[in-house]
Each structure stands twice: as C-alpha cells, then as structure tokens.
C-alpha cells in the first residue's frame, strides 16, 4: 500500500500536510471511534460489562504474542508503567558471576 | 443543592438508578464534552496549540493551591505517578534522629 492510499485512514483534510508521527501523531479513524465510544460509556457506566475489563486485554495479549512469536499468550503481561515492570524483573532475576549480561 | 437537582449534571436516563461512585462513577456532562473534544483533537493534532500543554496545568495548579490554601501555586507539581512522587520526596527529605515522623 502506498503512502497516498493511506490518507483515507485518517480524518485530515486534503489541503493539510502533517508530518509529526511522534507523540502527536494523528489518530487512525478506528482509534477516534474507539475513543469516543469509551468516553460515552463512562457517562453511562452501567452499560460497561464485566467482560469489557478482560476480553480486550486477552485479545491484545494474543495479538502481541503473535507479533513476538510467543507460543503462549499468557506469558504476555500488561503493566501500568514500564518502570514497575523493569523493577519487578530486576528483583526476580538472579544474576550469577558466570552470567553474561 | 439536593441530590434530585444534581441529576441534570449527568447524561443518565431517568429510569436508571446507578449508585457506583468509585472507579466507575458516571462522568459529568462537561467531562464527557472535554473527553470527546480531546479525542477529536488527536485526529487533527495540528489544531493543538503549544499553550494547550501548559495553560490547563497552570490553571489546575492554581485551583489546587486554592483548595489546600497554598500561597504560591508554583509549589504545586503534577507528576505521572504517585509512586514516582513519593520516591522523589523520600530521597530528598533528611530525617534526623531528633525528628518526629
């Protein structure tokens, strides 16, 4: 798919050229839709099912496991902050004198 | 203001009684509006001004300073995580033997 064809994925007018793809990258249309859906759900939180807390995370883990070619998606964990994850890993790895880091 | 009058602040139909005010509290209408505005801005990030990064934080600091009766709003800081803030404070406080904690 060429870059020209990908403009349809974004809600950006034709006369605008926007080149920042770092922290202020433009959202894809499905991301915008998911964002609005989520904001509206929070106004009527009784419409949020219990499975909404877990199913998307399991789907995410499965897709990420595919991406990194992991056999078991349950080995993928979501954490609230990279620093917490790195600290947990550091505390649980035993580095022996013979190890090469 | 009585509880009955406050129903107008939320976008919840009259026939629904929703009592959870913990993590799944319903958004106030202005919060819903701000949320949707923000999601839409991210689709067209070239509309986000530089001041949008700073002005709301300064306003928040000023309001919070009022709330805790702090003379100078610049003594209020926003941090990405409580744990980071507590660690920074702990690293910068000198506790003497004569101190009472």
């Amino acid at each position: 798919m060429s870059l020209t064809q990908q403009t349809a994925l974004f809600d950006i007018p034709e006369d605008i050229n926007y080149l920042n793809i770092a922290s202020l990258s433009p959202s894809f249309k499905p991301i915008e839709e998911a964002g609005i859906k989520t904001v509206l759900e929070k106004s009527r939180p009784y419409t949020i099912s219990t499975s909404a807390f877990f199913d998307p995370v399991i789907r995410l883990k499965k897709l990420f496991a595919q991406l990194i070619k992991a056999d078991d998606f349950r080995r993928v964990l979501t954490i609230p902050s990279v620093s917490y994850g790195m600290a947990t890993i550091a505390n649980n790895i035993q580095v022996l004198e013979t190890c090469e880091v």
Side-chain angles (χ1 to χ4, degrees), chain A:
Chain A
M1 188 156 62
S2 78
L3 275 174
T4 310
Q5 287 172 303
Q6 295 192 31
T7 54
L9 301 176
F10 300 95
D11 181 35
I12 290 182
E14 266 191 50
D15 61 324
I16 297 285
N17 292 303
Y18 185 77
L19 302 174
N20 186 347
I21 52 163
S23 63
L24 271 185
S25 61
S27 299
F28 288 112
K29 286 175 182 174
I31 291 175
E32 178 187 293
E33 282 166 28
I36 289 174
K37 183 173 169 284
T38 305
V39 169
L40 292 175
E41 272 179 355
K42 190 64 170 56
S43 298
R44 297 184 171 191
Y46 54 89
T47 64
I48 303 171
S49 65
T50 308
S51 65
F53 287 88
F54 305 105
D55 293 353
V57 180
I58 291 170
R59 186 168 140 71
L60 179 71
K61 287 181 183 183
K62 285 180 176 172
L63 288 169
F64 191 76
Q66 270 179 31
L67 194 69
I68 63 170
K69 296 186 177 26
D71 291 334
D72 186 352
F73 75 91
R74 287 167 299 188
R75 294 187 63 200
V76 177
L77 295 177
T78 56
I79 47 170
S81 159
V82 172
S83 65
Y84 298 158
M86 295 308 289
T88 305
I89 290 168
N91 285 333
N92 284 281
I93 286 181
Q94 197 182 4
V95 184
L96 301 174
E97 278 179 36
T98 52
C99 288
E100 197 174 323
V101 181

